[in-house]
Structures are given as C-alpha cells and as structure tokens.
Amino acid sequence: MEEPPSEPVTLTTERLVLRAPAESDIDAVFAACQDAEIQRWTVVPSPYRRQDAEFFVRDLAVGGWRTGANRIWCVFERGSGALVGSQGLVLRENDPGCAEIGWWATKEFRGRGYTVEAARAVSRFGLRELGLRRLEWQAYVGNEGSRAVAERVGYRFEGTLRSYAEQRGVFHDAWVASLLASDLD
C-alpha cells in the first residue's frame, strides 16, 4: 500500500469538485449541518455549533490528511460552487487495507445524483490510488437514502449488525456493505 499523501487530493467529476475543507467553508458546513436529517443519520454533534464546523475543518480534516488516518472532502457543484455535501474515508487502525466510507448531502442538493457521483470518485480513489483492498459502508438501519447511494455505487450488502453503531451514546442496528477493487468495473 502507498504512503499516505502529505497533501490533500482534489477529485473532479463531471459536475463536482471534491476538495479538502478550507477555512472559507466553515459557514457553509455549519449551515448544512443544522439539517435535522444530517444530525439524525450521522455522528455530527447535535445541536451542531459553529465550533463543531471549525473542528471539522481545522482539526479533523487537516489532521486526517496529515496523518493518513482519514481523508475528508467537501463536495461542491462545479457551476455554482455551492456546497452539496461531504465525503470521507476513515482507515481502520487494526486493518490498514480497509477503510470506512461515509457521506452526507445538503438538503438543497439531495436527489440529483451528486452523492452517488462523489461516492464513486472517492471509492475509486480509495481502491485505486490508496491501494485499499476493501471499502466498507455502514448506515443506521432505516437510512434508505444512504443505502440507495451505496447500492448505486456498487456496494454489496452484507447484512445487519445488531446494536453496533454508536451515535451520541446510543447504539443502533447498522447495515453494512462493501466494495472491492474488482467491483469497480
């Protein structure tokens, strides 16, 4: 497996630019994460405060790229430059060939296929550029939107893990699916 990049990598697709979060994105991330659906289905703090957006940009994203522990992108519409979501890969400490992929989408841009497009780019990056052997997607049972994205990208459903995924001190049942390099084509 390759050494982790010391600098963030920008990914582009037909309609999107995925780049590391920057100081100028703090307000947009803060506004997006006020959405009750993002708070319901992810581990973002609730209530979501401005300092949470600052931590996400300044510490979590920057530190993850620097150490190689995670890669976080903000996803922007190419034409307007509007924030449409976030994508991330978190490498497993005990399994360096595996990473968990996750995403959220802003309310205004859901249903346009942007999250699928971004997840395909991030999945290819993880499997081809980082040389990972497995990407794993998890979502709380009931998160049909995230499951639809995973399925459209090609993740193969593997089952339900009972009382598995922790969110703010509560454990939820979670769906799990995976994508291997051989699944890409």
Side-chain angles (χ1 to χ4, degrees):
M1 196 153 40
E2 293 181 15
E3 289 294 312
S6 58
E7 294 294 321
V9 173
T10 298
L11 305 174
T12 57
T13 68
E14 181 181 338
R15 302 180 296 166
L16 304 170
V17 174
L18 291 77
R19 63 165 173 73
E23 284 285 321
S24 58
D25 303 322
I26 290 173
D27 288 339
V29 169
F30 172 69
C33 291
Q34 298 308 304
D35 179 17
E37 288 300 293
I38 290 174
Q39 292 181 23
R40 176 181 180 192
W41 297 115
T42 72
V43 295
V44 302
S46 180
Y48 195 85
R49 301 160 301 172
R50 181 172 169 77
Q51 67 194 48
D52 297 317
E54 292 168 355
F55 173 79
F56 175 77
V57 170
R58 295 176 181 157
D59 299 312
L60 193 62
V62 170
W65 280 100
R66 187 181 68 251
T67 65
N70 66 55
R71 276 71 171 188
I72 295 173
W73 292 268
C74 280
V75 181
F76 299 92
E77 188 177 47
R78 284 180 92 168
S80 70
L83 177 69
V84 301
S86 179
Q87 294 269 332
L89 290 174
V90 178
L91 273 66
R92 296 274 168 82
E93 284 184 41
N94 60 348
D95 186 355
C98 181
E100 182 178 344
I101 189 170
W103 48 73
W104 53 257
T106 61
K107 182 179 359 182
E108 301 80 13
F109 289 97
R110 289 183 196 134
R112 298 185 191 183
Y114 287 155
T115 305
V116 171
E117 192 173 321
R120 281 190 180 125
V122 169
S123 296
R124 283 189 182 100
F125 174 81
L127 294 170
R128 291 189 177 148
E129 303 304 315
L130 295 179
L132 299 170
R133 68 168 175 42
R134 174 184 169 89
L135 294 179
E136 190 170 284
W137 162 87
Q138 295 176 22
Y140 307 131
V141 170
N143 189 346
E144 297 292 345
S146 188
R147 183 173 177 158
V149 169
E151 289 173 345
R152 285 188 59 200
V153 173
Y155 282 75
R156 295 188 186 180
F157 186 75
E158 295 180 334
T160 302
L161 303 172
R162 298 182 319 144
S163 189
Y164 182 78
E166 191 268 337
Q167 179 197 45
R168 296 184 282 279
V170 176
F171 284 86
H172 302 274
D173 293 352
W175 289 322
V176 64
S178 68
L179 187 73
L180 309 178
S182 59
D183 298 330
L184 288 176
D185 302 318

